[in-house]
Amino acid sequence: MSDTRRRVKVYTLNEDRQWDDRGTGHVSSTYVERLKGISLLVRAESDGSLLLESKINPNTAYQKQQDTLIVWSEAENYDLALSFQEKAGCDEIWEKICQVQGKDPSLEITQDPIDESEEERFEEMPETSHLVELPACELARLEEIADLVTSVLSSPIRREKLALALISEGYIKKLLQLFRTCEDLENREGLHHLYEIVRGVLFLNKATLFEVMFSDDCIMDVVGCLEYDPALVQPKRHREFLTKTAKFKEVIPIRDSELRQKIHQTYRVQYIQDIILPTPSVFEENFLSTLTSFIFFNKVEIVSMLQEDEKFLTEVFAQLTDEATEDAKRRELVNFFKEFCAFSQTLQPQNRDAFFKTLANLGILPALEIIMGMDDLQVRAAATDIFSYLVEFSPSMVREFVMQEPQQADDDDVLLINLVIKQMICDSDPELGGAVQLMGLLRTLIDPENMLAPTNKTEKTEFLSFFYKYCMHVLTAPLLANTAEERKDLPEDSTKVNPVCPDNFQTAQLLSLILELLTFCVEHHTYHIKNYIMNKDLLRRVLVLMNSKHTFLALCALRFMRRIIGLKDEYYNRYIIKGNLFEPVINALLDNGTRYNLLNSAIIELFEFIKVEDIKSLIAHIVDNFYKALESIEYVQTFKGLKGRYEQEKARQSRSLTRYRREARSLEDDEEMWFNDEEDEDDADAGVEKRVEEDFPESYGKFMGAKKVKDSEDKENLPKRTPSGSFKFTFSHSAGTTNGSSSTSSKPASSASPAAPNGSSAKVASLPAAPMVKAGLVGLVDYPDDEDEEDEEEDDEEEELSPRKRPRLGS
């Protein structure tokens, strides 16, 4: 038990900031005389060698992560981690570390929180005692200053004291003056020390320091200090990039100087965080949390200030939609709005709502409708990003706007949603990156799950009706165009390879995206997509793509059919049977040969689903029409299983028909006896009635009344003789059910025809004296013992269907 609890992996952080596995062993905590303190020891489980010996230092910051990980820095550039097999072992060692440092084991970082007693003492001290004594700000003492800044990072209290000292003495500006001196003197050693100092000051994580460092007169010198990383042979040229390459464009002149300054500052600080500072180690991540917050609140302030300037935004919209605006200017305006919307993601939810409502009131959607129809690719790409922000914020707002647009047939092409579809279809990127993004937006818009707002209960019905009327034909146009009927002028031997099926990779990718959306519609829309598929014979057109040389496209087509069959809807089933739509799927399976690939598995899964779910109409159609082609496939038992299901149903119907015939024959004999004995019964009735009346005077009247009713019912149900001497019977099952009993198989009806799917009525027009009953009829009564007989037959058939080869895929 203790072995697994104490089992750990030892990791060290390398120069590339990646964790190296140093081995697996068992950890213990014990006093080590040589180190003069309680230490963590890890001995390798393979040979018992010492993988780790680390003294638990009272001032070292240990961090517990994810319940099974303890991380700490042994030295400035030497980070260690213990990854425990069990949480219990991690908790045990963590408690030992906290005990040595006098910390509460419920903490996750031993040195971060300030102990209450320390905090009280800290507040009670006179103000001057809070400060760290800083060395004089001179070139000769830069190394000493760098060592001081680096040493305080492990202690929250010392970090706090150093930050106060730096602010109170105006030390940051003095250091930056030394930087300019070092650069003038080309003092490379001093510049390297200044890099360490400025980086360390950033890691103090104090907003008050950032306000000084990122002010207009200091920030470029801070960037200059960070160019001189000692690890680099040549310094980076970040200042040159920020002053010469990165240009700030005012699409509309910004009158507020504070806003302009805030935008400049935010860009530069973001650059420092993302580009200049190296990837932080495990502990350094927390040191930069205030820097992230500084950028965040700057963005919030920028968005708020722009949003409040209605004159500015109104002017932007006016120029954006003005036909006279030059293309370059419009590109800048759209990119501005893209950045504007990106900044809005920093707002709190209620502020973000107000932001997008402001944009909606100013006419962002009509403006998008104009710019998404333009030829400039960069403008359309930026407009797509803006549209994605709007859809993510409120799909209902976009849907409401779309449905309010002119809906005349001539105007279909200018509808916003159709412009989105066309941009998806016409994406020039070979990888269709933009088309994938737009497909996701369309799926969000047509998803009923986000149409359930109680304030607008009719949104789902109205929008889906609108979409299928005005937009669906635009979405499916490439699919229908690429799956047109085969040309008649082609030689007969060319039918195997459909000439229309797209060979172009980009077209195949586009069709796969359209099929993905249509498959989503099958899953989430009901009668709308069903009507569309039936009216356009869409599944037949989709299955043409089973011939594509691009397997991913054939799989998309197969997935579309699989979703339809997965609904187990008899309307869809009858449509598939009538159109003989399994043929292209089975041809694809046979053409795939013995290749064991995804296409093979997906097709077999389709038939396995039909077998397991016992979809009788499809099973009968497949076995009747395709079993000869499929019976040779023995590496799975799917197709033999389908035949077994077919035979079981055939046997069940046969037994039902036998009972039906026996009952009919029994009725025939009874009728003959009834006619022969009719006169004798009439003679005997009088005597019987008199005797009964004498013996049971009170009940006789009730009995005779009931008998008369029964006799009248029997006479109504008696078989009527036809002129040919036979009898006509009519049997009715439950009223009101649909009649789906006729088989649509291309073969003649046989006793294997499937039962009527919905318990529909079965009628026999004429039965001769010795009745010959047609196959396909269902018995009137099912007896309980039938199930036992069927189970026995299933067991027998399963033994007969044992594979001759070991299955390659599970049946």
Side-chain angles (χ1 to χ4, degrees):
M1 177 68 181
S2 62
D3 285 348
T4 57
R5 190 173 70 246
R6 293 288 188 92
R7 192 166 183 259
V8 294
K9 276 185 176 292
V10 179
Y11 291 94
T12 58
L13 199 66
N14 62 27
E15 293 179 356
D16 298 324
R17 314 309 297 168
Q18 301 294 321
W19 288 102
D20 291 334
D21 185 351
R22 294 301 184 187
T24 303
H26 295 88
V27 64
S28 61
S29 58
T30 185
Y31 183 86
V32 177
E33 182 65 33
R34 182 173 57 82
L35 299 176
K36 304 296 182 184
I38 301 292
S39 303
L40 298 176
L41 304 178
V42 179
R43 295 195 177 275
E45 65 179 0
S46 56
D47 56 8
S49 60
L50 196 62
L51 294 177
L52 175 71
E53 185 180 61
S54 173
K55 179 183 175 182
I56 302 175
N57 193 314
N59 296 321
T60 298
Y62 291 83
Q63 185 176 10
K64 185 168 75 165
Q65 300 176 2
Q66 304 169 5
D67 291 334
T68 57
L69 197 65
I70 296 176
V71 186
W72 71 98
S73 291
E74 192 78 19
E76 184 179 353
N77 293 314
Y78 188 63
D79 290 356
L80 286 160
L82 293 179
S83 177
F84 288 76
Q85 181 173 329
E86 293 186 12
K87 178 179 181 296
C90 184
D91 292 343
E92 190 174 327
I93 296 298
W94 182 250
E95 287 178 10
K96 178 60 72 174
I97 293 171
C98 292
Q99 180 183 343
V100 171
Q101 294 197 340
K103 300 295 180 182
D104 183 353
S106 64
L107 300 175
E108 291 185 349
I109 303 175
T110 60
Q111 293 296 329
D112 237 8
I114 299 176
D115 189 69
E116 282 187 15
S117 58
E118 284 189 65
E119 192 172 17
E120 289 170 4
R121 288 200 310 273
F122 185 62
E123 290 173 353
E124 290 169 1
M125 289 178 187
E127 191 170 341
T128 54
S129 66
H130 288 190
L131 305 181
V132 171
E133 186 176 345
L134 291 167
C137 196
E138 300 171 354
L139 284 176
R141 305 192 70 176
L142 283 177
E143 184 176 1
E144 186 181 347
I145 299 169
D147 290 340
L148 171 65
V149 172
T150 305
S151 68
V152 304
L153 294 180
S154 61
S155 169
I157 296 176
R158 295 179 69 202
R159 286 206 309 266
E160 187 76 30
K161 288 181 178 181
L162 178 59
L164 287 171
L166 291 171
I167 293 166
S168 64
E169 297 184 20
Y171 210 76
I172 300 293
K173 292 188 177 182
K174 294 177 185 176
L175 285 170
L176 296 178
Q177 287 174 359
L178 277 183
F179 164 72
R180 288 190 286 270
T181 303
C182 284
E183 237 185 357
D184 292 340
L185 298 173
E186 296 184 0
N187 182 346
R188 187 59 63 91
E189 185 181 356
L191 292 170
H192 287 168
H193 288 316
L194 282 164
Y195 169 87
E196 297 290 349
I197 293 167
V198 170
R199 181 172 174 271
V201 172
L202 287 173
F203 284 162
L204 292 178
N205 211 23
K206 294 299 174 186
T208 49
L209 290 174
F210 294 158
E211 292 290 347
V212 176
M213 297 174 77
F214 301 148
S215 61
D216 282 349
D217 54 343
C218 291
I219 189 166
M220 296 310 291
D221 287 333
V222 169
V223 171
C225 290
L226 294 172
E227 289 179 353
Y228 292 94
D229 185 346
L232 302 176
V233 177
Q234 291 295 327
K236 296 286 186 179
R237 296 185 175 181
H238 297 302
R239 285 172 292 175
E240 184 179 332
F241 174 83
L242 289 172
T243 54
K244 296 179 181 178
T245 308
K247 296 291 184 183
F248 177 66
K249 298 177 181 178
E250 294 186 43
V251 291
I252 302 292
I254 296 175
R255 304 170 188 84
D256 189 336
S257 59
E258 184 185 351
L259 173 60
R260 191 185 303 109
Q261 186 272 334
K262 190 71 69 177
I263 292 171
H264 283 297
Q265 184 189 61
T266 304
Y267 177 79
R268 290 164 178 168
V269 176
Q270 187 88 61
Y271 184 87
I272 290 172
Q273 185 187 46
D274 294 343
I275 306 299
I276 300 179
L277 290 177
T279 304
S281 69
V282 175
F283 284 101
E284 290 170 349
E285 285 177 3
N286 295 321
F287 292 162
L288 293 175
S289 59
T290 305
L291 182 62
T292 303
S293 300
F294 184 91
I295 296 169
F296 175 88
F297 288 113
N298 262 20
K299 289 180 177 179
V300 170
E301 197 170 344
I302 290 168
V303 173
S304 301
M305 293 169 78
L306 285 172
Q307 189 179 341
E308 291 166 5
D309 191 346
E310 290 190 10
K311 187 176 180 181
F312 175 83
L313 288 179
T314 304
E315 197 172 340
V316 171
F317 272 105
Q319 291 198 26
L320 193 61
T321 55
D322 187 353
E323 292 182 2
T325 304
E326 295 180 0
D327 290 346
K329 179 71 170 177
R330 182 175 284 108
R331 194 178 302 128
E332 290 175 2
L333 288 164
V334 174
N335 284 327
F336 161 76
F337 255 112
K338 175 183 167 183
E339 290 294 315
F340 194 29
C341 291
F343 273 31
S344 73
Q345 302 306 297
T346 61
L347 298 174
Q348 294 296 317
Q350 63 271 21
N351 296 335
R352 198 181 311 144
D353 289 354
F355 169 79
F356 280 109
K357 284 174 184 173
T358 300
L359 292 188
N361 294 335
L362 289 169
I364 184 69
L365 285 166
L368 278 179
E369 194 170 42
I370 293 171
I371 60 181
M372 287 189 83
M374 294 180 175
D375 296 331
D376 192 312
L377 290 176
Q378 289 186 14
V379 168
R380 290 211 309 265
T384 300
D385 290 335
I386 297 169
F387 184 68
S388 68
Y389 285 120
L390 295 171
V391 171
E392 183 181 348
F393 163 68
S394 174
S396 292
M397 180 181 77
V398 178
R399 284 191 286 261
E400 185 179 356
F401 169 77
V402 167
M403 288 190 289
Q404 288 173 354
E405 293 179 283
Q407 297 180 6
Q408 292 78 19
D410 294 342
D411 296 326
D412 282 3
D413 290 345
V414 298
L415 297 177
L416 176 59
I417 196 164
N418 282 348
L419 288 171
V420 172
I421 294 172
K422 286 180 179 178
Q423 188 166 331
M424 181 184 89
I425 292 170
C426 300
D427 188 5
S428 58
D429 177 10
E431 297 298 326
L432 294 186
V436 172
Q437 180 187 10
L438 289 167
M439 187 272 289
L441 298 177
L442 286 171
R443 184 164 59 186
T444 301
L445 287 174
I446 64 175
D447 186 355
E449 293 299 319
N450 58 48
M451 297 183 195
L452 303 178
T455 55
N456 189 2
K457 294 180 181 178
T458 61
E459 180 183 15
K460 177 178 176 180
T461 304
E462 289 179 357
F463 181 76
L464 290 182
S465 298
F466 165 86
F467 181 79
Y468 279 87
K469 182 177 181 181
Y470 294 103
C471 309
M472 184 57 101
H473 68 281
V474 182
L475 178 64
T476 56
L479 179 64
L480 297 176
N482 283 281
T483 56
E485 295 295 330
E486 296 181 9
R487 299 200 302 270
K488 305 295 184 185
D489 56 339
L490 292 166
E492 292 184 5
D493 60 355
S494 68
T495 54
K496 270 287 182 186
V497 179
N498 191 325
V500 181
C501 197
D503 290 334
N504 179 284
F505 175 78
Q506 192 169 354
T507 305
Q509 248 197 329
L510 173 63
L511 295 184
S512 71
L513 291 178
I514 294 172
L515 277 175
E516 189 173 337
L517 267 180
L518 292 174
T519 304
F520 179 85
C521 292
V522 168
E523 288 181 302
H524 295 88
H525 303 167
T526 52
Y527 58 90
H528 291 97
I529 188 65
K530 185 187 295 185
N531 291 340
Y532 194 84
I533 289 172
M534 301 293 187
N535 292 336
K536 297 289 185 183
D537 197 12
L538 190 62
L539 181 56
R540 179 186 302 280
R541 303 293 284 273
V542 168
L543 290 175
V544 169
L545 302 176
M546 293 296 295
N547 293 326
S548 174
K549 72 175 185 179
H550 300 286
T551 306
F552 71 87
L553 182 57
L555 285 166
C556 285
L558 184 66
R559 191 181 304 119
F560 181 69
M561 184 180 192
R562 173 66 176 80
R563 290 293 182 274
I564 289 174
I565 290 175
L567 296 175
K568 297 188 282 189
D569 184 320
E570 276 301 316
Y571 285 101
Y572 276 132
N573 292 346
R574 285 198 288 272
Y575 162 67
I576 290 170
I577 292 168
K578 185 177 180 181
N580 196 31
L581 298 182
F582 277 109
E583 184 176 3
V585 177
I586 290 171
N587 285 340
L589 177 64
L590 298 176
D591 290 343
N592 191 61
T594 58
R595 288 190 290 273
Y596 180 34
N597 54 18
L598 189 56
L599 182 64
N600 173 278
S601 300
I603 294 175
I604 288 174
E605 191 278 334
L606 172 70
F607 290 105
E608 184 70 20
F609 175 82
I610 294 169
K611 183 194 81 172
V612 171
E613 296 297 325
D614 196 16
I615 306 176
K616 293 181 171 57
S617 55
L618 296 184
I619 291 174
H621 172 71
I622 294 165
V623 175
D624 279 341
N625 292 279
F626 304 108
Y627 188 69
K628 285 187 178 179
L630 298 171
E631 64 180 343
S632 62
I633 297 177
E634 295 183 337
Y635 53 83
V636 290
Q637 298 303 298
T638 299
F639 302 107
K640 287 192 175 183
L642 285 172
K643 183 68 180 297
R645 292 276 190 186
Y646 175 85
E647 295 293 348
Q648 288 172 20
E649 181 64 17
K650 182 177 177 182
R652 192 187 71 80
Q653 291 188 15
S654 177
R655 288 196 303 274
S656 298
L657 291 171
T658 301
R659 285 197 300 275
Y660 177 85
R661 186 164 56 246
R662 186 172 62 247
E663 290 166 3
R665 206 178 274 124
S666 175
L667 282 171
E668 191 84 15
D669 294 340
D670 291 345
E671 293 304 319
E672 291 296 331
M673 291 174 63
W674 182 79
F675 282 113
N676 293 334
D677 297 343
E678 191 174 21
E679 293 180 2
D680 298 337
E681 289 176 359
D682 290 342
D683 294 338
D685 278 349
V688 172
E689 288 176 6
K690 184 177 180 181
R691 187 166 62 254
V692 171
E693 186 177 9
E694 291 172 353
D695 295 340
F696 309 98
E698 294 180 2
S699 60
Y700 179 76
K702 295 179 183 178
F703 171 80
M704 287 307 295
K707 184 176 184 300
K708 287 176 183 177
V709 173
K710 180 71 168 62
D711 290 345
S712 65
E713 290 175 355
D714 289 343
K715 287 181 180 179
E716 287 178 5
N717 291 327
L718 287 178
K720 308 297 189 297
R721 281 189 184 275
T722 63
S724 62
S726 59
F727 299 100
K728 182 177 181 181
F729 290 79
T730 300
F731 301 101
S732 178
H733 292 270
S734 58
T737 54
T738 57
N739 185 1
S741 60
S742 58
S743 174
T744 55
S745 170
S746 58
K747 293 192 176 183
S750 69
S751 59
S753 299
N758 294 316
S760 52
S761 59
K763 295 186 179 181
V764 182
S766 175
L767 292 175
M772 297 294 290
V773 184
K774 287 186 178 181
L777 299 176
V778 181
L780 295 178
V781 181
D782 264 339
Y783 295 99
D785 57 322
D786 289 348
E787 293 179 7
D788 296 334
E789 294 172 11
E790 287 173 26
D791 291 341
E792 291 172 10
E793 289 179 13
E794 283 180 25
D795 293 340
D796 295 337
E797 285 166 3
E798 285 175 3
E799 290 178 8
E800 292 172 8
L801 292 174
S802 59
R804 281 181 282 172
K805 294 170 63 178
R806 184 177 181 180
R808 184 149 51 88
L809 299 173
S811 60

